[in-house]
Amino acid sequence: ETGVTQSPTHLIKTRGQQVTLRCSSQSGHNTVSWYQQALGQGPQFIFQYYREEENGRGNFPPRFSGLQFPNYSSELNVNALELDDSALYLCASSRAINTEAFFGQGTRLTVV
Amino acid sequence: DQQVKQNSPSLSVQEGRISILNCDYTNSMFDYFLWYKKYPAEGPTFLISISSIKDKNEDGRFTVFLNKSAKHLSLHIVPSQPGDSAVYFCAASVGAGGTSYGKLTFGQGTILTVHP
């Protein structure tokens, strides 16, 4: 199974700005998780949404927020961007909370 | 605090030989372990997983071994093929049968290069 799509693929923002990243889950998937992958590191869990409610959060500040819509697509919003926010942001969707997650190709965010 | 560690940043093997990728973890609450493969410009792709109640799981050329007492797992690829060249991540979760499957803790990754 594949079909998780993320937009945009690349993005450049200035420090202090706000950014919204989008994820379209695979059909039939009601759970979405977001990860941040810094250069040379593994992905780090940001948060998970299940049926439009946040279902767990990693060690990220409140300026990282998310939404999941009735069609199960999702957004990741980051306010007051910092240089260290430069990373690959990955979205993963799954059919349910306790099933395998499938990743999108990611959005490469560069903060200058 | 790196709870999942892959201490080898890279591994180079000859086609046809065995590739062994290693992963160590510190959190004894982890009870489900996964391996993902990642090509450039693509998202991670699930390879194989193992529950903490097992010590071995096989899927074709891929075998994952889990040593709970040592908090160590390894991925064996036999025989290795040039198309296996990618970054390999191990990941772990707590309560895989419950609500934590998508909340994965990843290692830093190991770059595998298989030479023809």
Side-chain angles (χ1 to χ4, degrees), chain A residues 91-107:
Chain A
C91 162
S93 75
S94 54
R95 191 176 300 280
I97 290 174
N98 59 347
T99 59
E100 179 191 337
F102 295 89
F103 284 84
Q105 83 282 11
T107 293

Side-chain angles (χ1 to χ4, degrees), chain A residues 29-74:
Chain A
H29 286 193
N30 61 17
T31 303
V32 64
S33 302
W34 285 91
Y35 291 82
Q36 179 197 66
Q37 185 181 6
L39 201 61
Q41 301 295 318
Q44 284 198 53
F45 174 73
I46 303 175
F47 42 56
Q48 182 184 76
Y49 279 82
Y50 171 64
R51 292 185 174 179
E52 304 176 56
E53 298 286 331
E54 187 178 291
N55 180 48
R57 188 180 182 91
N59 189 26
F60 281 82
R63 58 189 186 85
F64 285 77
S65 63
L67 279 174
Q68 187 181 31
F69 300 100
N71 66 355
Y72 301 133
S73 65
S74 176

Side-chain angles (χ1 to χ4, degrees), chain B residues 7-82:
Chain B
N7 291 318
S8 298
S10 62
L11 175 68
S12 182
V13 299
Q14 208 66 32
E15 181 179 6
R17 299 290 188 99
I18 183 172
S19 295
I20 301 176
L21 298 106
N22 294 303
C23 180
D24 297 296
Y25 63 95
T26 58
N27 187 346
S28 57
M29 297 295 290
F30 288 142
D31 59 1
Y32 202 78
F33 304 88
L34 308 90
W35 284 94
Y36 282 84
K37 178 168 73 171
K38 187 179 185 300
Y39 294 116
E42 294 184 12
T45 302
F46 170 76
L47 260 181
I48 191 169
S49 61
I50 188 167
S51 164
S52 60
I53 62 173
K54 294 186 174 182
D55 55 17
K56 179 182 173 181
N57 188 27
E58 286 182 83
D59 184 2
R61 297 186 297 115
F62 302 92
T63 303
V64 56
F65 295 92
L66 175 63
N67 182 334
K68 280 200 305 180
S69 60
K71 293 190 177 67
H72 177 83
L73 65 154
S74 60
L75 174 67
H76 293 209
I77 306 174
V78 183
S80 301
Q81 299 173 354

